[in-house]
Structures are given as structure tokens and as C-alpha cells.
Amino acid sequence: MFEEYTSISAAMRFPKVPPTSKMTAAFLHSTYHNGRSLATAKGGPKLIVGHSRRDVATAAERASTERSLTRSARGQRAVQLLPTYLADARSVEKYSPQYPNGALQLGVAESQMLEDWLVPALNIDLKVSPDCIYYQPTPGRQGFRTAMASYMEDMLDLDKGRIDTEGLVVGAGCNAVLENLCICLAEAGDAVLIPTPYYAAFEFDLVARADLYVQAVTTRDHHPEVTSSDDPAIYYPSEASLDAAFEKALIAGHAPRILLISHPQNPLGICYPPEVMKICINWCRSRRVHLISDEIYAGSIYRPELAGFSSALKLADTQRGLGPYVHWVYALSKDFALSGLRVGAVYSENLEIRTPMQKLNDLCQISSTTQLWTETILNRVDAKGNSWVHSFRKENHRRLEARIEALTSVLDEVSIPYLAPTAGLFVWINMSQFLTEDSNLTDSERERKLYLSLVQEFGILLTPGDSTRNEHPGYFRCVFTAASDEEFELSLIRFRAFANARR
Amino acid sequence: MFEEYTSISAAMRFPKVPPTSKMTAAFLHSTYHNGRSLATAKGGPKLIVGHSRRDVATAAERASTERSLTRSARGQRAVQLLPTYLADARSVEKYSPQYPNGALQLGVAESQMLEDWLVPALNIDLKVSPDCIYYQPTPGRQGFRTAMASYMEDMLDLDKGRIDTEGLVVGAGCNAVLENLCICLAEAGDAVLIPTPYYAAFEFDLVARADLYVQAVTTRDHHPEVTSSDDPAIYYPSEASLDAAFEKALIAGHAPRILLISHPQNPLGICYPPEVMKICINWCRSRRVHLISDEIYAGSIYRPELAGFSSALKLADTQRGLGPYVHWVYALSKDFALSGLRVGAVYSENLEIRTPMQKLNDLCQISSTTQLWTETILNRVDAKGNSWVHSFRKENHRRLEARIEALTSVLDEVSIPYLAPTAGLFVWINMSQFLTEDSNLTDSERERKLYLSLVQEFGILLTPGDSTRNEHPGYFRCVFTAASDEEFELSLIRFRAFANARR
């Protein structure tokens, strides 16, 4: 181990985070979806948990944004809602054979492991029919929605024919369909409750245009029975924590209308047990709050026995179906690594929102040809009649398992704790032992310092827990699929180097 | 002529508009973007010009929509903003060889004349590169934006290299990019001024989620110099009419922030002369109001000499460029008849909205493969090095000209007045001579009666002027490209039949 560390150390010129002015320039010019920069975190504007577009700006920001007649304050504020870590991911120089000490990208939830399957699958001889030219049904093409319904039934272990395609709408990405669903369920200013830690971009997706108020559901204080801070149960929402968040939103003047659950959980990399999901479902129904189960990682459960996953669609199903309060969102971005195709889906059995949900989707429709393409992929069978999706998913699980095995072995070896992962593209790592003790710094600043040290001294770019509104500092999401095989191997070396250097 | 009329008459069993209950069912189940039904126009809720999402519902509607805990009022109200004529277009039985007296669809702005060019162009052997899989730059792929910039320069007669691709964002349809642009320019509740008659779906696109207030700019009363009611100048916005609309919006409590111009004009089928556009540009700059020039028909100017079209991008250009107040939107839906591909574009040189416009586009991105596809089409050259787009456009103009020639000959023959068309897919027809004189009816009801008679007795489905907020009853938009060749020929026979029967 030491040799490896020495050999890196000798060549060590890891990427510097640009100074503020350059960061600002990079941010303004970045063509990617990003937010405030690394360098502004200490002195710059700070988002607090619990905000809507109208509340998010400080008085000074508001004055500076609202004074302009050549742009809107709401547009400007939307940018401030973008997760910082995405800006960082774009502005830091990346590893490449030409820049061997560049940062290894382990922060953005993408999979680089599936090109060998997906590129040939996209390069098929697709027959585009004349009807593709013209306006399409706003909720999506019937053929594609039927294929998506069958795929859902198979993936989520539902009865064949259970999904009513009239309740299914496909739109340009999970964020797009989530936004539309929320607009159909809640008024501007209403609160969406989300258990922490949560996917940082939910704040952009729900607040930027839909103008909702995000109310974090903190869970730690509501688990007196949990003794270890690394027990996954500490993160489970309970009636008490949901009640507390409900009250908090009400006191802040925002009617609690939606509970958004990430299931499998991003960034934790685990699933909520069925009993936890049932608590959420029952709590929602009794409180008349809408439950949205975001199951975008439902096809990436690589340790099914440990995961114990059960879809909200299965758990909430009664003789009368899902009823008006349970909804589901999904996309092909994660399980298929097809984020570039912008294919999301929403399912609901609430008849009152059916028409609005179908019609509003006109503002974020998927290209007809992309629908045709993904329909073809979902329906594809090989010469023996086996589903291509089944083979693909099996192979994906094998690869996910192999990488997580390699990564957690190294973490075990260097005594870095983590939640035992079962699903998704990430592992939730507890690096709190490496936080500085400096008592002049806030928890956020201490975590930030560690985060910058990981990037600048060791070339490891992770998602900081602070951006996911995690309650304690020093936790990071590591997206172990975001790197190529070579980069992933190198990341293992760097993790060892980091731990050894810091002890 | 008489023979033709008789021969239709003998077989006449034209489509009946379904009764209210059926219409409502058709509306609720229609998978297309539609609105209130034909049958509700008389007794049902009536939209008034000048409204935002918050104002649109009557007190009764508001009570009924806001009472529900299982959906939002804003989602429900969004549906009410959809143009009625689209619901009608979906719910009435159409002409087919099996139903020869079905309605001829001449109401929805699509072109059915270009399949022979477009279907082969889409069925090319597209090479999908691995980078297509992953997250794309939120404003669009650089290659596609570069191709779109060149296309714009060519189509709009701008200098080569004039368009700065950093100001160009491509998104999932013209409505999607227009919504995002408006969110970046104006706050919820601000007013958008639109000269009448205007594209009916602007009310959905601008109000449903962006929550703007649509203020009609009425023009007739501000043209004392115009004597004929069929002189196009009567529809031109002037300083006086813009001032009047500005004041009206202010009095209603909505800050006027945007002037939206359809140029070439939909539904008029003509272009505003450069001097009219200059009045609008100067008025906007002096009032600090944003001008959005919607030039979605700029590639369909089939009579360029008569049209006298000049893009707002050309007219507003100064030594310092467009400045912060002039913006442009476009899509491939009309000039290319590719509405199913959802490819829109927005261009602005306002640096303050650049980042918000790029980032918010994340919620309505175009599939990477569709971007690649349309880039290929725009860049395509034949063996001789000639641009495919040039040949396509030329042929499209030839076909547009041929149909408009045939249609206006018939209208001349039967003495139905119309505005001499030069651009777009439609002609603006004055049918006011056929309005009933019944003084118990409102203007809207008189027009509606004529509209229903056209559908039910003569199988002609047009866009009623009322849905475009036209000031006088009895005007209709006829989309002469929405029908197949056979259907178009039949529509000529039916127009003759109608005129002869009604005199």
C-alpha cells in the first residue's frame, strides 16, 4: 500500500480549484447545469434548508436581482438553486492520460460501464414511420407507453397488465415529469417534504419553476432506538419525523402537500424497508399528503436479497388500486445510462390529475423518434426469444456488484466506514474521522475543507453530504460508476493514499 | 359548380358534433393537447382576453377546483387554457375513404405535404456516438447549435457568423423554449402584450406554468387612416395601440414586460412590414419592454416579394448588437413539418438571462439523438455540394404557392374575401357575410353558429377567429396544408358548395 501511495505522492500535482474570479467565469460560461462555485461556499451566499423560490435569496441578493429590468428575479434565482457540486464537477480539471493527476469524477450520477451494450443498441436500423413527423399524443406514443408499462410490471414485480397506460405519461427526463406532476398536485408556495440526505437537484427541479417550498425531513433525532450513527435505520423516516416536518412547514406558512421519497435511496445507496415505505404511505393517506416515490434506480438493485426492495406501487396497492395519493416517477437515465436521451415517466391513478398531467406534458415532450427507439429497446428479444432488457440488467448488476465489492474492500482495508450498499450507483461514505477539529469553523466549513482536500490533494471528486442536506458533516456520496475502468482502479489507489496520509 | 354542389348534397351526412356529455368524455380521454369542447361554448365557461392563471377561473370554477385535496387548482386551470379548436379537431369524425363525409381538417397548423422528402431524410443511417448516451450541455449540443446558427443566418439573411451560439438554446419545442425565455424575462403575474388575432395556444404556453398575464393588443381602433376592413394594415400594431395595451395591463395590476409578435403572422398568413416591426422594436426599447419575435414560419415565406419579410434579428441589429430587449424563437415544427420531433430554439443577446436560460432548459431538453439527427439534416449537402435544406425549402414554397393559388381562386370565384397570403400555412378568410343576423346572439355565438354549420353541414373544420381573440366575428384561419392532396381538392369543392348554398 505504501509503495502505491509513495508513487502517487511523487507525481502529486493534483488539480487546484480555480480562484473565485475564474470559478465565476467558468460558472457563467459552463454550458452544463451547474450552480454556485466551490470557491464561493465560504464567503458567498448560502442556501438554507427550507425554501421556495421566493424565499431563497438573501435581502442583498434580492435587491441585486430584482433591480434589473432586463431579466427576471425568478430566472436569476433559479440558477442559485443548482447544486454546487455540479459546478465543481465541471470546473475542476479532470483526469486524462494527458493529465494523470486530474480529478477522478465520482460525483455525478452516471454510469460509464455500459457503452458496449448501449451504443450498438442505439445504432440499430430504426424504421421511422411517417406518423413520427406529426404532433404526437401529449402523454407519449401509445406503443411506447405500452412498452414502458410492461417494463414497469416486470421490473417492479407487479401483475401483468396491472399498469393502466392512461395513467402513464412519458416526458423529457425525470426532472421534467416530476415538475409537472408536482404542479398538478400542489399550488405555488406549498411544501414538499423530503427525507435527508436527499438528491441535491430536487431543489432546482421543484423550486425553480414549480415554485414549491422544500421542507427537509430530518430523521436522526427521531430514532432513540438506534445506537450506531452508521446504522441505516437512523435515516428512515418515521411518523414522528414526518409529523415534525409537517409542523415545521406549516409554521413557515407553507401547506405540506407532497412527501417525496427516493426509493432506492439516493444518495444512501440502499432501499427503505417495506415497513418504512408502508409507514410513509399510511401517513400520507391519513394526512392527505401526496406520496411521490422516485424509483429511478429500481432497475439497479444488484443485491436484491439484502436490499429488500418493494415498489411503492406494490406496497400501496389495494382492492381500489393506488388511490389519489400515491404516484411514481422514473427515467431511463440511471438503470440504462441513457441520460442524454431524456426519457422520463410518471404514473398515477389519481383521475383528477390525469388530464392536467397529460396536457402539461406538451411543454416537455420527448421526440417521437426517441420514443420509437426506446420502445424498440424495451421490446427487444434475441433469437431465442429472451428479453434484451433482462440480459442487460443482469450484466449491469454483475458489473455494479464487482465494482462495489472492489471499492468496499478498500474502504474496509483502510477503515473508512460506509453504509453497506445494495442499489444504485453509489456508496455513502462516512469520512467524519478526517474532519478538521478547528472550532472556528462551522460544520459546513469543516466538511468543505475535507472536500477540497480530497479534490486538490488526492484527485478524488465526490458529492459532499452538505449538498444533500445531510445532518452531520463528513459524509460523502461516491458514484462508483461515473469513472472508466482505468479511472475506477486509480480511484482505489487514491482512496488508500488518502487514508494512509491522513492517519 | 352547381353539379358539384348537388353531387355532394345528395351524399350529405356530414359529421355531427357530439352532444355535451360525449364531448366531455372525448375531451377527458383525448390523448391530445386540447381544451374546452365545442359544445360548452354557449353555456359553458368563457375565457376573456386579459388573464393570468390566477384570474382565469370564474368564482364557481375556482371553488370547484380549489376544493379538491387530491389535485391542484393550477393544474386544473391549465387545462382550461387549451384552445377549444384543438379539442374540436380531435373530437369530430374526420374524412376518410370509409367516411367520405367526415370533416376535412383545416384547423391545426401542420403540413401534410412533405412526407416524401422528410421520411427518407429521417430514415438515414445515423451513427450514434457514445457521447450521446450521457448528460448533454443543457442549452443543446454544440454541433447542433452551430448548425442551427448557420441555418438561421441563411434563412433570415444575416451575415455569416453573426449568431453567437452562446446566446442560442435548443429545447423541446417552440412552446417549451418560449416558456423558459419568458420565465427569464418576467415575474409571475407580469403582462405579455400580444397583437390580435394571435395564436390561440399562446395562452396555454405563457399562462399555464409561467403564470403570466396575457394582454391583447387590439389594433382596429387605432388605424383611422385605414378604410377597408380587409386591409392588412388594420392589424398592424402602432405606438397608439401598444400604449393603450400597456396602460390596460397596468390598470389591471400587471406590469407589462413582454411584447410577443408572431412574424410571419399566425393566423393572418402575412408579414408585418419592416416599418411596423421597427415601430415595435423602438417602442419596446423606449418602454423597456422585451420584444419576442416568434419567427416559426420564417422558412415558409413563399411569396417573398409580396411578403417584404425582414427578421427582427436584422431590423434590431445595431453596432452594439440586439441589446437586452430583443429575443427570437423558432422551431422545426412548421417549416419542416417536424412537430413530432420537438425541436425549438431561442436566441438572445441579453447577457443577464444567458445562464438562467441555459440552465432552465434542463427541464425541457431535446434527446441527444434527435439533436444529432436534425443537425445532420441541416448540414446535409447533395453530391453536387448543394444544400438539402435549400432544395427542400424551394420545393416546399412551390407546393405552398400551388395550394394557395388553387384555394384563393375558389374563394375569388365564390366572392369570399381573404387577406392576400404570403407566408405560413394558412389564409385568413372573412366569412362575416355568412353570419346570422339574430340579434339575440352575441358576436361569439354568431361566429360559433357559422363554425358549427361549416363542420356539420359542409365538413370543413377551420380555426375560428374567436379563439385567436379577433376583434370582429366571422373570420377564420384555414390551414391549407393540413390536408392530403385528395382532401385538399375536396375542400375546394366544399367551399364552393358552402358559398353557393348560403347565397
Side-chain angles (χ1 to χ4, degrees):
Chain A
M1 298 310 108
F2 190 68
E3 293 74 12
E4 280 168 357
Y5 174 55
T6 323
S7 72
I8 302 181
S9 182
M12 202 127 61
R13 285 188 311 278
F14 285 109
K16 292 294 166 211
V17 174
T20 312
S21 62
K22 277 204 183 162
M23 282 295 305
T24 308
F27 163 68
L28 284 172
H29 289 101
S30 162
T31 51
Y32 283 80
H33 158 150
N34 62 21
R36 290 148 307 139
S37 67
L38 270 174
T40 62
K42 216 166 164 177
K46 207 69 213 96
L47 277 185
I48 47 159
V49 175
H51 58 265
S52 79
R53 184 167 60 195
R54 291 171 302 199
D55 306 330
V56 74
T58 63
E61 283 174 328
R62 195 186 296 267
S64 79
T65 53
E66 289 187 350
R67 209 170 291 144
S68 173
L69 274 171
T70 81
R71 60 157 150 71
S72 70
R74 60 177 172 171
Q76 200 60 21
R77 273 181 244 142
V79 177
Q80 296 161 3
L81 292 167
L82 286 159
T84 316
Y85 76 89
L86 290 177
D88 298 345
R90 305 297 170 195
S91 59
V92 170
E93 194 157 2
K94 298 305 177 310
Y95 169 85
S96 71
Q98 291 71 44
Y99 189 54
N101 288 320
L104 297 168
Q105 163 60 280
L106 302 167
V108 175
E110 286 197 308
S111 174
Q112 295 253 359
M113 303 195 303
L114 300 163
E115 279 185 20
D116 58 331
W117 281 67
L118 292 169
V119 177
L122 288 176
N123 277 294
I124 49 169
D125 186 19
L126 188 75
K127 180 95 192 114
V128 181
S129 50
D131 73 292
C132 280
I133 297 179
Y134 303 108
Y135 284 116
Q136 305 290 307
T138 53
R141 291 166 67 85
Q142 188 59 48
F144 179 43
R145 288 189 295 134
T146 302
M148 181 61 89
S150 301
Y151 169 77
M152 287 168 65
E153 286 156 6
D154 178 49
M155 173 175 66
L156 306 177
D157 190 27
L158 308 175
D159 290 342
K160 247 186 152 57
R162 171 65 189 81
I163 297 298
D164 172 10
T165 57
E166 283 296 299
L168 187 63
V169 172
V170 293
C174 199
N175 51 3
V177 294
L178 177 64
E179 182 192 39
N180 259 347
L181 172 63
C182 289
I183 285 175
C184 295
L185 296 175
E187 311 303 340
D190 283 351
V192 182
L193 316 184
I194 320 182
T196 60
Y198 60 73
Y199 170 56
F202 278 147
E203 293 177 1
F204 178 80
D205 302 345
L206 298 169
V207 183
R209 299 196 308 192
D211 203 11
L212 295 163
Y213 177 90
V214 173
Q215 174 62 60
V217 180
T218 55
T219 58
R220 286 187 175 247
D221 291 347
H222 301 279
H223 282 290
E225 80 289 3
V226 183
T227 50
S228 159
S229 74
D230 287 318
D231 182 338
I234 212 161
Y235 296 111
Y236 297 162
S238 60
E239 278 188 31
S241 58
L242 294 171
D243 282 345
F246 187 96
E247 294 306 318
K248 235 187 244 177
L250 269 186
I251 289 164
H254 300 277
R257 195 68 75 198
I258 297 168
L259 169 63
L260 173 56
I261 298 281
S262 168
H263 179 58
Q265 222 280 1
N266 172 13
L268 298 180
I270 59 168
C271 300
Y272 291 126
E275 56 273 21
V276 171
M277 286 301 289
K278 279 185 185 163
I279 287 171
C280 294
I281 292 164
N282 292 335
W283 182 86
C284 280
R285 283 179 172 157
S286 69
R287 288 280 199 163
R288 296 197 174 185
V289 163
H290 293 280
L291 178 77
I292 301 178
S293 188
D294 174 354
E295 302 189 2
I296 194 170
Y297 294 99
S300 298
I301 297 166
Y302 50 86
R303 288 172 171 167
E305 275 76 33
L306 280 171
F309 173 80
S310 193
S311 169
L313 297 189
K314 203 176 166 81
L315 292 168
D317 211 12
T318 68
Q319 275 189 317
R320 291 184 174 192
L322 300 176
Y325 290 109
V326 176
H327 318 271
W328 181 90
V329 295
Y330 185 73
L332 301 184
S333 306
K334 310 300 181 184
D335 296 340
F336 280 86
L338 288 176
S339 44
L341 262 62
R342 313 310 302 141
V343 178
V346 53
Y347 182 70
S348 174
E349 293 179 359
N350 179 328
L351 297 180
E352 288 198 304
I353 65 163
R354 186 158 284 181
T355 308
M357 205 170 73
Q358 291 176 346
K359 307 305 174 194
L360 281 170
N361 197 57
D362 190 32
L363 293 160
C364 55
Q365 281 189 75
I366 311 170
S367 161
S368 57
T369 55
T370 299
Q371 292 187 54
L372 196 60
W373 221 321
T374 40
E375 176 187 335
T376 309
I377 290 179
L378 293 184
N379 288 339
R380 196 167 161 188
V381 286
D382 65 18
K384 290 180 190 161
N386 297 320
S387 154
W388 182 89
V389 168
H390 278 192
S391 314
F392 170 78
R393 192 187 291 150
K394 202 171 155 190
E395 176 60 15
N396 188 22
H397 290 178
R398 198 191 61 73
R399 293 180 189 187
L400 288 166
E401 171 75 33
R403 279 210 182 178
I404 200 65
E405 186 61 42
L407 174 58
T408 54
S409 295
V410 170
L411 295 175
D412 288 339
E413 180 192 308
V414 298
S415 300
I416 297 179
Y418 56 87
L419 279 192
T422 60
L425 315 180
F426 22 76
V427 56
W428 184 243
I429 304 180
N430 176 358
M431 299 263 208
S432 56
Q433 61 181 300
F434 304 107
L435 289 169
T436 172
E437 296 294 337
D438 188 343
S439 60
N440 290 324
L441 298 179
T442 64
D443 278 355
S444 276
E445 287 164 344
R446 290 163 69 218
E447 181 176 292
R448 185 79 187 165
K449 214 172 163 181
L450 175 54
Y451 171 72
L452 291 176
S453 153
L454 278 159
V455 181
Q456 295 175 339
E457 295 170 45
F458 297 91
I460 300 172
L461 190 57
L462 304 172
T463 315
D466 199 40
S467 74
T468 71
R469 312 298 173 213
N470 191 44
E471 293 174 67
H472 283 200
Y475 289 74
F476 292 85
R477 182 185 75 167
C478 172
V479 184
F480 57 86
T481 57
S484 67
D485 285 345
E486 183 205 350
E487 290 163 357
F488 176 70
E489 289 302 325
L490 184 55
S491 78
L492 301 181
I493 296 172
R494 290 186 180 179
F495 269 114
R496 279 197 194 98
F498 164 76
N500 291 329
R502 284 306 173 88
R503 283 219 189 83
Chain B
M1 298 310 107
F2 189 68
E3 291 76 11
E4 281 169 353
Y5 174 55
T6 322
S7 71
I8 302 183
S9 182
M12 202 129 55
R13 284 188 312 277
F14 286 107
K16 291 296 164 213
V17 174
T20 312
S21 63
K22 278 203 186 168
M23 282 294 303
T24 306
F27 164 67
L28 283 172
H29 290 100
S30 162
T31 51
Y32 283 80
H33 156 151
N34 60 22
R36 291 150 303 141
S37 69
L38 269 173
T40 63
K42 216 165 164 177
K46 205 73 209 93
L47 278 183
I48 47 157
V49 175
H51 59 265
S52 79
R53 185 168 57 196
R54 292 172 303 201
D55 306 330
V56 73
T58 63
E61 281 173 329
R62 196 186 296 266
S64 78
T65 54
E66 289 185 351
R67 208 170 291 144
S68 173
L69 274 172
T70 81
R71 60 156 148 72
S72 70
R74 60 176 172 171
Q76 201 59 22
R77 273 182 241 139
V79 177
Q80 296 161 1
L81 292 166
L82 287 160
T84 316
Y85 76 89
L86 291 177
D88 297 346
R90 305 296 169 194
S91 59
V92 169
E93 194 157 4
K94 300 304 176 311
Y95 170 85
S96 71
Q98 290 72 42
Y99 190 54
N101 288 320
L104 297 168
Q105 165 59 280
L106 302 167
V108 175
E110 286 197 308
S111 175
Q112 296 254 359
M113 303 195 301
L114 300 162
E115 279 184 21
D116 57 332
W117 281 67
L118 291 170
V119 177
L122 288 177
N123 279 294
I124 50 170
D125 185 18
L126 188 75
K127 178 95 193 113
V128 181
S129 51
D131 73 291
C132 281
I133 296 178
Y134 304 109
Y135 284 117
Q136 305 291 306
T138 52
R141 291 167 67 86
Q142 188 58 49
F144 179 43
R145 288 189 295 136
T146 303
M148 182 61 89
S150 301
Y151 169 76
M152 286 167 67
E153 286 156 8
D154 178 51
M155 173 175 67
L156 305 177
D157 190 27
L158 308 175
D159 290 341
K160 246 185 153 58
R162 171 64 190 83
I163 297 299
D164 172 10
T165 56
E166 284 296 299
L168 187 61
V169 172
V170 293
C174 200
N175 51 3
V177 295
L178 176 64
E179 181 192 39
N180 259 347
L181 171 64
C182 288
I183 284 176
C184 296
L185 296 175
E187 311 303 340
D190 283 351
V192 181
L193 317 183
I194 319 181
T196 59
Y198 60 72
Y199 169 55
F202 278 146
E203 292 177 3
F204 178 79
D205 302 345
L206 298 169
V207 183
R209 300 196 308 189
D211 203 11
L212 295 163
Y213 177 91
V214 173
Q215 175 61 61
V217 179
T218 54
T219 58
R220 287 190 175 245
D221 290 348
H222 301 279
H223 282 291
E225 81 286 4
V226 183
T227 49
S228 158
S229 73
D230 288 315
D231 182 339
I234 212 162
Y235 296 111
Y236 297 162
S238 60
E239 279 189 30
S241 58
L242 294 172
D243 282 345
F246 187 97
E247 295 306 319
K248 234 187 245 179
L250 269 186
I251 288 165
H254 301 276
R257 196 67 75 199
I258 297 168
L259 170 63
L260 173 57
I261 298 280
S262 167
H263 178 60
Q265 223 278 3
N266 171 12
L268 297 179
I270 59 168
C271 300
Y272 291 126
E275 57 273 20
V276 171
M277 285 301 287
K278 279 184 184 163
I279 288 170
C280 293
I281 292 166
N282 294 334
W283 182 86
C284 281
R285 284 178 172 157
S286 69
R287 289 279 199 165
R288 298 198 173 183
V289 163
H290 294 279
L291 179 77
I292 300 177
S293 188
D294 174 353
E295 301 188 2
I296 194 170
Y297 295 99
S300 298
I301 298 166
Y302 49 86
R303 287 172 172 168
E305 276 77 31
L306 280 172
F309 174 80
S310 193
S311 169
L313 297 188
K314 203 177 167 82
L315 293 168
D317 210 12
T318 68
Q319 277 187 316
R320 294 185 172 191
L322 301 176
Y325 291 108
V326 176
H327 320 269
W328 181 89
V329 295
Y330 186 72
L332 300 185
S333 307
K334 309 301 182 185
D335 296 339
F336 280 85
L338 287 176
S339 45
L341 261 61
R342 313 310 301 144
V343 178
V346 53
Y347 182 69
S348 174
E349 292 179 0
N350 179 328
L351 297 181
E352 289 199 302
I353 65 163
R354 186 159 285 181
T355 308
M357 205 170 72
Q358 290 176 347
K359 307 304 176 193
L360 282 170
N361 197 57
D362 190 32
L363 293 161
C364 56
Q365 282 188 75
I366 311 171
S367 163
S368 56
T369 54
T370 299
Q371 292 187 55
L372 195 62
W373 220 322
T374 40
E375 176 187 336
T376 309
I377 291 179
L378 293 184
N379 287 339
R380 194 167 164 187
V381 286
D382 66 17
K384 291 179 188 161
N386 296 321
S387 153
W388 182 88
V389 169
H390 279 191
S391 314
F392 170 78
R393 193 187 291 148
K394 202 171 154 189
E395 177 60 17
N396 188 22
H397 291 178
R398 198 191 62 73
R399 293 181 189 186
L400 288 165
E401 171 74 33
R403 278 211 182 176
I404 200 65
E405 185 61 44
L407 174 58
T408 53
S409 294
V410 171
L411 295 174
D412 288 339
E413 180 193 308
V414 297
S415 300
I416 297 179
Y418 56 87
L419 279 193
T422 60
L425 316 179
F426 23 75
V427 57
W428 184 242
I429 304 179
N430 176 358
M431 300 262 208
S432 56
Q433 62 182 299
F434 304 109
L435 289 168
T436 171
E437 296 294 338
D438 187 343
S439 60
N440 289 324
L441 299 179
T442 65
D443 278 356
S444 277
E445 287 165 344
R446 291 165 67 220
E447 182 176 292
R448 184 80 187 164
K449 211 171 166 183
L450 175 55
Y451 171 73
L452 291 176
S453 151
L454 277 159
V455 181
Q456 296 175 338
E457 296 170 44
F458 298 90
I460 300 172
L461 189 57
L462 304 173
T463 315
D466 198 40
S467 73
T468 72
R469 312 298 173 209
N470 190 45
E471 293 174 68
H472 283 200
Y475 289 73
F476 292 85
R477 181 184 76 166
C478 172
V479 183
F480 58 85
T481 58
S484 68
D485 284 347
E486 182 205 349
E487 289 163 358
F488 176 71
E489 289 302 325
L490 183 56
S491 78
L492 301 181
I493 295 173
R494 290 186 181 180
F495 270 114
R496 277 197 196 97
F498 163 76
N500 291 330
R502 284 306 173 88
R503 284 218 190 82

